[in-house]
Amino acid sequence: MSNKLNICIVDYGVGNTHSIMNALSYLGYSKVKISSSESEIKSSQAYILPGVGAFDNAAKNLRDRNLDRILGEEVLVKKKPILGICLGMQLLASVSEENGNHEGLNWIPGTVKKIVTQNHLPVPHVGWNDVTVDHSEPIFKRNSNHVNFYFDHSYHFECESKFISSWCDYGIRVTASVQKENIFGVQFHPEKSHISGLKLFRSFFSSI
């Protein structure tokens, strides 16, 4: 059963880890750990890559802790599923233009760029926004096609449409989620999105 999955919330010093842990505990997942330990990561069956803050610092932390290599082996070679949240999703990209040009994990090709709206909406984009789902399987299968999630970001992930599973309108079309094989990312915060976010977590883990 999915509730018995060994889940690792990756700790690299910039994540909203305890809020995610609380949400998963509420859903009944009992084998969840917050860790950067190589042995604990390797013994896990699925991962969440959280993130709050600046891209360059987050990418440096991943590399300084050797987590890019460790996670690369588990996710790219062994094909274990991973869900990046907010900055954690942006780190899946090839490069970010935040504070200069900085390399990401390059797991989903694309570029993280500053939000520049056409109608002078405030940046950062903070608050609830409707999300249009283009591909419901697997992470949106418990949510409707138009669903609310909570966002808090100034940069967005530009990539090919084949990798985009949902989007929202914020003066421009903002990528709300991406997926490629076993790699998933959401720009919004499911742990702050009440029932919609809990449904997303449940859908992700039950698909494993």
Side-chain angles (χ1 to χ4, degrees):
M1 291 179 62
S2 62
N3 279 35
K4 301 299 183 184
L5 281 172
N6 286 309
I7 300 166
C8 181
I9 302 169
V10 181
D11 180 12
Y12 61 111
V14 296
N16 190 20
T17 54
H18 290 286
S19 295
I20 297 168
M21 171 73 94
N22 290 340
L24 299 188
S25 297
Y26 178 82
L27 288 170
Y29 294 101
S30 56
K31 295 185 175 182
V32 184
K33 51 187 171 286
I34 299 169
S35 181
S36 60
S37 158
E38 182 169 2
S39 61
E40 291 190 323
I41 289 172
K42 287 186 172 182
S43 68
S44 299
Q45 297 165 282
Y47 308 100
I48 290 181
L49 184 66
V52 176
F55 186 101
D56 53 344
N57 183 54
K60 182 179 185 299
N61 282 9
L62 280 177
R63 294 188 171 99
D64 286 351
R65 301 176 190 209
N66 209 24
L67 290 169
D68 56 335
R69 180 193 64 79
I70 297 166
L71 287 170
E73 183 178 329
E74 301 303 306
V75 173
L76 301 180
V77 179
K78 297 181 182 178
K79 299 296 183 182
K80 295 179 182 179
I82 189 167
L83 175 66
I85 295 175
C86 195
L87 178 58
M89 172 180 120
Q90 295 178 4
L91 287 165
L92 305 175
S94 309
V95 66
S96 171
E97 296 179 355
E98 183 178 1
N99 299 326
N101 286 313
H102 303 280
E103 292 184 3
L105 291 168
N106 196 29
W107 291 355
I108 296 180
T111 303
V112 177
K113 297 183 177 182
K114 183 73 178 283
I115 297 172
V116 180
T117 68
Q118 302 302 313
N119 48 3
H120 306 292
L121 291 170
V123 177
H125 168 210
V126 179
W128 294 85
N129 204 322
D130 287 335
V131 168
T132 299
V133 177
D134 289 338
H135 302 287
S136 61
E137 293 289 338
I139 65 172
F140 293 104
K141 63 185 179 183
R142 286 174 167 78
N143 281 301
S144 63
N145 183 45
H146 296 282
V147 59
N148 261 169
F149 288 103
Y150 185 82
F151 290 79
D152 186 357
H153 64 119
S154 299
Y155 288 78
H156 67 118
F157 191 159
E158 290 189 356
C159 62
E160 290 183 57
S161 59
K162 66 181 179 180
F163 300 124
I164 299 173
S165 55
S166 72
W167 56 277
C168 70
D169 184 355
Y170 193 68
I172 59 171
R173 185 165 166 144
V174 171
T175 300
S177 63
V178 294
Q179 62 186 62
K180 178 187 177 187
E181 299 176 350
N182 56 310
I183 301 166
F184 302 87
V186 292
Q187 183 61 69
F188 49 81
H189 287 273
E191 76 280 8
K192 297 180 181 179
S193 297
H194 306 320
I195 188 66
S196 299
L198 295 175
K199 285 181 177 179
L200 185 137
F201 280 134
R202 181 71 81 193
S203 295
F204 173 65
F205 291 117
S206 67
S207 71
I208 299 168

